[in-house]
Amino acid sequence: MPTLKTVLSQVKDSLVSSAESQSLLSLSFHPVSPAVDVAFSWGDFYQNFALGGLQDCNFFKNEIATFVKNPLTGVYESINIKDQVKLNYYNQYKSYAEIYLSKN
């Protein structure tokens, strides 16, 4: 994880324009409740982006949640949630990564 976070920080400017970076920095997250604002953090972004694809690893299942694919919808759903705040962060950062990085 530390190596991937370092690599992501080094290539960030080639993946995200300065305007997109400013837009991301203006975001607020609500990992605990809708009443609690937490500012976007590149460190948290790199951490949660690096977690992408690790949902089947024991670490992810033991620390965050287990994901299973709903056979009717084909959508992955979280079950056996270990830490709701970490799951909320993961889902929110993942959503923004998909929006901002899918164009590149």
Side-chain angles (χ1 to χ4, degrees), residues 12-31:
K12 173 186 77 84
D13 292 339
S14 65
L15 298 174
V16 180
S17 71
S18 59
E20 290 170 329
S21 180
Q22 290 302 313
S23 177
L24 285 166
L25 288 171
S26 70
L27 296 174
S28 292
F29 292 83
H30 307 282

Side-chain angles (χ1 to χ4, degrees), residues 12-71:
K12 173 186 77 84
D13 292 339
S14 65
L15 298 174
V16 180
S17 71
S18 59
E20 290 170 329
S21 180
Q22 290 302 313
S23 177
L24 285 166
L25 288 171
S26 70
L27 296 174
S28 292
F29 292 83
H30 307 282
V32 180
S33 76
V36 177
D37 289 345
V38 177
F40 176 90
S41 157
W42 280 110
D44 289 342
F45 178 85
Y46 302 142
Q47 171 76 21
N48 286 285
F49 188 77
L51 286 172
L54 298 178
Q55 297 88 345
D56 289 333
C57 294
N58 286 334
F59 165 80
F60 198 98
K61 292 177 181 180
N62 293 333
E63 296 290 323
I64 301 173
T66 301
F67 282 87
V68 294
K69 189 173 186 177
N70 182 320

